[in-house]
């Protein structure tokens, strides 16, 4: 069984790697960003609530997100060999609520995958592949915001869980091999 939380800045290939890991290891893959975008596209009650917030790049309230994750894990982990959460938790309160969810599920072997890389490499990647009107300054700002908001969560996990750090810049297949090796240790 694998119970994984994946973190990584824009440009590091977190979404791609999450999907590969989920497929290879038969894990339930929950990307909270994708989940919200789907709800918005479908115009569900959640979608209507979340639309404005997501479009402004703000965070959907913790209680809504925690409810989504708890329910999704309950509904989708049967028949799977674990799960990978991508985009959650985004706040310390979400992380603490997640610990309670894991306790109720009797899941103790959580591992945190932190895909990261040198800022300059990420900037170069994002300049090549990012949005058209992105400047280097905007990109660096976005990376700093990501780092600042993620730091306390990673620190929280370092106290109680295994945090596996991986340099995520390189060919998709190469990074995937490195991740697989680390997971099988
Ligand atoms: P992402 O694809 O992970 O970048 O998520 C896209 C957007 O969905 C974010 O900018 C937030 O508005 C919202 N979102 C995704 N995950 C969360 C979360 N765990 N807590 C709050 N908002 C979230």
């Amino acid at each position: 069984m694998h119970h994984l939380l994946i973190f990584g800045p824009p440009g590091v290939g977190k979404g791609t790697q999450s999907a590969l890991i989920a497929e290879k290891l038969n894990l339930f893959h929950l990307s909270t960003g994708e989940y919200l975008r789907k709800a918005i596209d479908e115009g569900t009650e959640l979608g209507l609530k979340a639309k404005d917030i997501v479009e402004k790049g703000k965070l959907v309230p913790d209680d809504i997100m925690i409810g989504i994750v708890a329910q999704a894990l309950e509904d989708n982990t049967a028949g799977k060999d674990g799960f990978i959460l991508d985009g959650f938790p985004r706040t310390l309160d979400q992380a603490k609520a997640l610990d309670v969810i894991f306790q109720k599920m009797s899941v103790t072997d959580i591992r945190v995958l932190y895909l990261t890389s040198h800022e300059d490499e990420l900037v170069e990647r994002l300049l090549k592949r990012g949005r058209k009107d992105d400047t280097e300054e905007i990109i660096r700002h976005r990376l700093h915001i990501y780092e600042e908001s993620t730091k306390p969560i990673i620190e929280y996990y370092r106290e109680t869980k295994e945090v596996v750090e991986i340099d995520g810049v390189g060919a998709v297949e190469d990074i995937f091999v490195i991740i697989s090796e680390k997971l099988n240790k």
Side-chain angles (χ1 to χ4, degrees), residues 15-127:
T16 309
Q17 293 298 337
S18 304
L20 275 175
I21 295 165
E23 190 192 291
K24 174 155 184 227
L25 301 176
N26 184 36
L27 308 181
F28 167 52
H29 176 205
L30 178 62
S31 155
T32 48
E34 272 172 28
Y35 186 101
L36 290 168
R37 281 188 288 278
K38 183 160 176 270
I40 293 168
D41 286 347
E42 289 173 355
T44 63
E45 195 182 325
L46 168 68
L48 295 176
K49 260 193 233 163
K51 190 169 191 291
D52 239 31
I53 303 172
V54 172
E55 276 171 5
K56 287 186 183 133
K58 297 199 170 145
L59 290 180
V60 173
D62 285 341
D63 56 336
I64 295 180
M65 294 311 302
I66 292 160
I68 289 172
V69 172
Q71 191 65 48
L73 286 173
E74 195 176 317
D75 293 346
N76 295 285
T77 45
K80 294 282 181 185
D81 297 322
F83 53 76
I84 179 163
L85 299 188
D86 168 3
F88 186 95
R90 285 277 229 285
T91 65
L92 271 183
D93 280 345
Q94 290 181 7
K96 287 174 186 162
L98 191 58
D99 278 344
V100 177
I101 294 171
F102 290 153
Q103 255 167 24
K104 285 188 187 146
M105 295 170 74
S106 301
V107 170
T108 50
D109 54 349
I110 314 291
R111 284 190 292 182
V112 175
L113 285 181
Y114 190 18
L115 279 188
T116 178
S117 199
H118 292 298
E119 185 178 312
D120 289 345
E121 302 225 32
L122 294 170
V123 170
E124 202 178 305
R125 259 200 179 190
L126 289 164
L127 277 173

